Amino acid sequence: MTLGSIPPSLGKISSLRILSISRNNLGGNIPAEIGRLSNLHVLEQSSNKLLGAVPPQLYNISTLRIFSITNNLLSGRIPATVGLTLPNLTLFSADLNQFFGSIPTTLANALGLIKFSIEDNSITGPIPQNLGRLQELQVLHFGHNPLGTGKANDISFISSLTNCTNLQILSLSRIQIGGILPTAIANLSTKLTSLWLNDNIISSSLPSGIGNLELYLSNNSFTGEIPSTIGDSSELQILVLEQNMLTGQIPASLAKLNFISTLNLSYNMLEGEVPMDGIFANSSTFLALGNGKLCGGIKALNLSSCPKPTKKKAKLSTPIVIVIAITIPLAIVLLLIFAYAIHRLRSSKQQLSFSSAAEKQNQKLSHAELYDSTNDFSSENLIGEGKYGSVYKGVLKPGEQMVAVKVLKIHQHGAHKSFLAECVALRNIRHRNLVKIITSCSSLDFKHNDFKALIFKYVPNGILENWLHPRSAEEEGQSLMKLQLIQRLNIAIDVASVLDYLHNHCGTPIIHCDIKPSNIFLGDDFRALVSDFGLAKFLSSIKGKSHQHQSSSVAIRGTVGYVAPEYGMGGEVSTQGDVYSYGILLLELFTGKRPTDSMFTEDFSLHSYVKTALSHQVMEIVDPKISMEAESIAGMITNTSKGSIISQEKCYLSMFWIGVSCSAKIKRDRMNIKDVLSGLQAIRNEFIRVINESQMR
């Protein structure tokens, strides 16, 4: 409950030097009259419910040293002149608000600045290159802002920070910056203890000179091997390198370092034997999930045993050959040599043939091959299109294999990260209701531009979206004829089965983040196949580290109409977010109405539309296509008893109730996906029983 607002009369106390009113549940706007306090040194208004823009008069109090407005509902821009009008500023903290615009370059004029923190806002880039002037700077928090511009030099500003010799904490999490990490990162302040670069699109090898830091580098595109000097420090180090593209073996030298408290190397491409001592002896502090070629390690890691070195067969030495040549008639020797040569030749051909077949099966395709297979990526072969990619039907030669080619929109901001996320996810999951990936392509096109694509097994019946909402008379005819009620129920069960697998049976839970009809393909048997893991997130398995929770932060993770309400308010990504999307999908599947239909407004949604009908008019909201189809099933309606009709209505009621429960506004009110799956299976059994009874009469 809001206690009140800041009284404008405070602006009359001209001698006031400290105004600290944090954590008082105050609401309303900040009075412009506060700007009259010309002797004010400290202004603390954090953790209230203050609204609107900060009055420009406050940015003109030249005596101000501490300006803290964290955790409110404030908006607007940080003035371009802030470093000039607040020259004595030592602390500026505006985290957890709704500020937008760019970081002023004049900030570098506040030479005494010690802490600057604007996390969790909507500040955009580029990041000023002159921040190195702030030689007193100790803490710099830019995290959870869309600062990236999509240019290769996004991260180059770090080089200027080498002059900030007092810097201790540098937080750049989820700011959407890309490019190659400058080597100057190793020359940052010797006092630096924490470096947060996770959830960006940085692509470079790991610098060897950053071993004395608490590192958070997960969810990037770091490549190459892990330097043996990482973790070489005498300081409560935490090294988080999960979800990158690191290769090679884990340096055995890391086992000798006693100061690493957490080491997370999950979801990379590491290989070889895992050490068993030091940090590697504790499965709660060392994590290496999703590295398919790792072996050995302690039993709790559940890795396969490393292969034992095979003994090579002794080769016939030259002296023995000479002795044989002397003691055995020459003809026999020649015969033996000839037979041996024939054997080796045949063996070599068989081995070559096998290798070639294996390589052909798993090789990465070129841009030219995909260009030819899709008829120059023609619009006639376009299956579907999303924010980050377009999907084309193609035919690979030789063999005439039908495929679906997802071509990355390489210039779309965030597309590269989406491509990597999908690669990582698909590398670690297997389920009968997932679209099967065949291979990938990462090369250059005919104009020498980057080209990336994923190649999937072709699914003949297209996407569910087109069956629920036909775009043409031909599609409409197909949907009326083939997509029957029991098939819709099977589709719902298939998708729930995938989510149950992703959330509960993958070791580390995977959140899909974009469940919707256009991401569900239908196989030739109308089996549902879930696709598009470009927004997928792995839930961190490090407990007690709130910063490890995957957050939607600035960008809403998902599609309008299907995205969970909490994501729109910066809530954490969770399994219940997928459950919400699934609930909307279930309601759409049986009502035939999109959540973005024009009939729905802010106060009246697909969820409330169905919920209102649950009490007395369930059959009135059923998709008319289903009703028409039901009437054609062997006298389903006309020749059945009243009891069967009631049972049919009961099945619909149960399905809609599950959909409404899953799409509840508050996530703690939503069903668990395990219960959803078992509930739908029970409904299917009951519905089949009703059909069988009606056909027997």
Side-chain angles (χ1 to χ4, degrees):
M1 180 178 177
T2 302
L3 299 178
S5 56
I6 302 173
S9 58
L10 285 174
K12 297 179 180 180
I13 311 175
S14 58
S15 60
L16 193 64
R17 293 194 173 192
I18 298 176
L19 178 57
S20 181
I21 49 176
S22 297
R23 295 178 294 279
N24 277 294
N25 218 21
L26 297 171
N29 300 101
I30 300 175
E33 287 81 356
I34 300 296
R36 298 175 183 172
L37 300 174
S38 58
N39 293 305
L40 197 63
H41 288 184
V42 177
L43 177 60
E44 292 182 333
Q45 302 175 101
S46 298
S47 299
N48 286 294
K49 296 180 180 178
L50 301 174
L51 300 165
V54 175
Q57 292 89 335
L58 269 66
Y59 294 111
N60 291 324
I61 306 175
S62 61
T63 58
L64 204 58
R65 296 179 181 176
I66 296 177
F67 191 0
S68 180
I69 49 177
T70 293
N71 194 17
N72 281 288
L73 299 171
L74 297 167
S75 59
R77 297 175 181 270
I78 300 174
T81 58
V82 65
L84 300 174
T85 57
L86 299 177
N88 296 306
L89 201 62
T90 59
L91 182 148
F92 183 91
S93 182
D95 302 331
L96 296 164
N97 279 288
Q98 299 168 10
F99 288 100
F100 53 87
S102 58
I103 301 170
T105 56
T106 61
L107 188 66
N109 290 80
L111 299 178
L113 193 63
I114 294 174
K115 177 180 179 179
F116 184 77
S117 186
I118 53 167
E119 286 196 319
D120 280 288
N121 282 281
S122 298
I123 305 295
T124 52
I127 299 172
Q129 299 279 346
N130 62 352
L131 298 180
R133 295 180 59 187
L134 302 173
Q135 297 190 17
E136 301 299 320
L137 192 65
Q138 297 179 17
V139 178
L140 188 60
H141 283 298
F142 284 161
H144 300 233
N145 284 285
L147 289 164
T149 64
K151 297 180 180 178
N153 64 344
D154 269 353
I155 202 170
S156 61
F157 78 95
I158 285 182
S159 298
S160 71
L161 298 180
T162 56
N163 293 323
C164 301
T165 54
N166 290 299
L167 192 62
Q168 298 176 21
I169 297 174
L170 178 58
S171 176
L172 305 173
S173 301
R174 298 189 184 99
I175 61 173
Q176 304 175 23
I177 55 172
I180 297 175
L181 196 63
T183 54
I185 194 79
N187 299 323
L188 291 176
S189 166
T190 56
K191 298 178 182 178
L192 192 67
T193 58
S194 297
L195 177 61
W196 303 62
L197 289 171
N198 54 288
D199 293 87
N200 286 296
I201 42 178
I202 303 167
S203 54
S204 65
S205 57
L206 293 174
S208 58
I210 53 177
N212 62 336
L213 301 178
E214 182 177 282
L215 291 171
Y216 296 91
L217 306 179
S218 60
N219 283 288
N220 278 287
S221 305
F222 286 105
T223 58
E225 299 186 354
I226 302 172
S228 58
T229 53
I230 275 197
D232 188 6
S233 169
S234 59
E235 302 289 334
L236 286 163
Q237 280 188 274
I238 296 176
L239 304 179
V240 182
L241 302 170
E242 66 176 334
Q243 294 195 55
N244 280 286
M245 302 176 71
L246 299 173
T247 55
Q249 295 186 327
I250 299 174
S253 58
L254 295 182
K256 300 177 182 178
L257 303 176
N258 299 321
F259 300 100
I260 302 180
S261 61
T262 299
L263 177 60
N264 190 346
L265 303 177
S266 297
Y267 304 107
N268 282 282
M269 295 181 284
L270 300 170
E271 59 185 61
E273 187 169 7
V274 176
M276 297 181 66
D277 50 353
I279 185 71
F280 304 103
N282 189 339
S283 62
S284 64
T285 57
F286 169 65
L287 299 165
L289 300 168
N291 289 277
K293 294 185 178 180
L294 285 179
C295 62
I298 61 173
K299 187 176 181 180
L301 295 176
N302 295 317
L303 297 174
S304 59
S305 300
C306 293
K308 295 180 179 179
T310 56
K311 295 182 179 179
K312 294 184 179 180
K313 295 182 179 179
K315 294 183 179 179
L316 214 57
S317 63
T318 304
I320 295 177
V321 174
I322 294 173
V323 172
I324 292 175
I326 295 173
T327 58
I328 299 179
L330 182 60
I332 297 177
V333 172
L334 291 175
L335 183 62
L336 290 173
I337 292 174
F338 179 74
Y340 178 72
I342 292 295
H343 170 74
R344 288 295 301 272
L345 182 61
R346 286 177 178 174
S347 175
S348 175
K349 285 183 177 179
Q350 290 175 355
Q351 185 176 2
L352 180 63
S353 176
F354 175 80
S355 299
S356 298
E359 288 171 6
K360 188 69 177 176
Q361 184 178 0
N362 297 301
Q363 70 179 356
K364 290 187 176 181
L365 297 170
S366 68
H367 168 265
E369 288 175 294
L370 297 179
Y371 185 83
D372 291 338
S373 73
T374 59
N375 192 22
D376 307 347
F377 301 111
S378 66
S379 57
E380 290 82 5
N381 285 333
L382 184 66
I383 300 173
E385 191 166 15
K387 181 178 180 181
Y388 297 124
S390 302
V391 183
Y392 298 88
K393 179 173 66 176
V395 181
L396 291 180
K397 299 177 182 178
E400 303 294 318
Q401 182 183 12
M402 293 284 289
V403 293
V405 183
K406 182 177 180 179
V407 179
L408 191 72
K409 294 179 180 178
I410 203 74
H411 298 298
Q412 175 68 43
H413 183 68
H416 180 68
K417 187 173 181 180
S418 171
F419 177 80
L420 292 175
E422 190 153 16
C423 288
V424 170
L426 292 172
R427 190 171 66 224
N428 291 284
I429 54 179
R430 298 288 185 274
H431 193 277
R432 68 183 296 273
N433 293 112
L434 293 174
V435 175
K436 183 181 179 182
I437 187 168
I438 298 174
T439 186
S440 62
C441 174
S442 182
S443 62
L444 300 177
D445 62 17
F446 298 135
K447 297 181 180 179
H448 299 283
N449 296 318
D450 282 339
F451 176 85
K452 295 185 186 297
L454 294 172
I455 297 87
F456 297 90
K457 182 179 179 181
Y458 180 70
V459 183
N461 281 319
I463 57 176
L464 177 61
E465 169 79 15
N466 293 342
W467 288 87
L468 294 179
H469 312 289
R471 297 171 299 179
S472 64
E474 181 182 358
E475 286 180 353
E476 186 167 1
Q478 286 179 333
S479 64
L480 288 173
M481 181 176 61
K482 291 186 178 180
L483 197 56
Q484 300 172 356
L485 172 58
I486 195 67
Q487 288 171 326
R488 297 187 190 220
L489 187 50
N490 285 334
I491 289 167
I493 290 172
D494 287 342
V495 178
S497 176
V498 168
L499 290 180
D500 180 45
Y501 166 74
L502 295 175
H503 295 176
N504 302 309
H505 305 287
C506 278
T508 298
I510 298 175
I511 316 301
H512 185 279
C513 290
D514 203 16
I515 294 294
K516 59 182 178 180
S518 60
N519 283 339
I520 298 168
F521 285 78
L522 300 179
D524 50 9
D525 56 355
F526 283 88
R527 175 160 51 98
L529 302 168
V530 176
S531 70
D532 197 345
F533 282 77
L535 295 179
K537 299 293 282 185
F538 290 80
L539 279 190
S540 173
S541 50
I542 299 180
K543 297 179 180 178
K545 305 288 182 185
S546 61
H547 49 262
Q548 280 298 302
H549 293 159
Q550 307 295 350
S551 170
S552 59
S553 64
V554 178
I556 296 178
R557 301 196 69 81
T559 301
V560 173
Y562 303 91
V563 67
E566 63 268 20
Y567 290 1
M569 297 181 287
E572 294 173 354
V573 168
S574 70
T575 55
Q576 292 306 100
D578 273 356
V579 171
Y580 178 89
S581 302
Y582 176 81
I584 296 297
L585 170 70
L586 190 62
L587 298 181
E588 182 175 3
L589 195 57
F590 290 100
T591 64
K593 294 189 180 297
R594 288 188 174 99
T596 54
D597 192 286
S598 58
M599 70 178 289
F600 301 128
T601 61
E602 186 175 345
D603 298 324
F604 183 61
S605 63
L606 177 57
H607 169 89
S608 55
Y609 168 72
V610 175
K611 187 176 181 179
T612 303
L614 285 180
S615 58
H616 59 282
Q617 50 186 12
V618 171
M619 299 306 292
E620 295 181 22
I621 63 170
V622 175
D623 186 352
K625 300 190 191 75
I626 300 180
S627 300
M628 293 171 63
E629 171 264 313
E631 290 175 2
S632 68
I633 300 179
M636 177 76 180
I637 300 298
T638 57
N639 297 327
T640 57
S641 65
K642 183 178 180 181
S644 293
I645 296 174
I646 292 173
S647 295
Q648 184 185 179
E649 184 173 345
K650 181 181 176 183
C651 290
Y652 278 115
L653 185 65
S654 299
M655 284 188 293
F656 283 131
W657 183 88
I658 289 176
V660 168
S661 177
C662 288
S663 58
K665 199 171 221 180
I666 301 174
K667 68 178 184 179
R668 67 171 175 268
D669 293 337
R670 297 171 199 156
M671 291 181 68
N672 185 287
I673 196 64
K674 283 185 178 180
D675 298 330
V676 171
L677 181 57
S678 60
L680 289 174
Q681 288 169 336
I683 292 170
R684 178 173 61 184
N685 294 339
E686 171 67 10
F687 193 78
I688 291 174
R689 184 187 66 78
V690 172
I691 292 177
N692 290 338
E693 285 183 359
S694 68
Q695 292 178 339
M696 290 174 64
R697 289 190 174 92

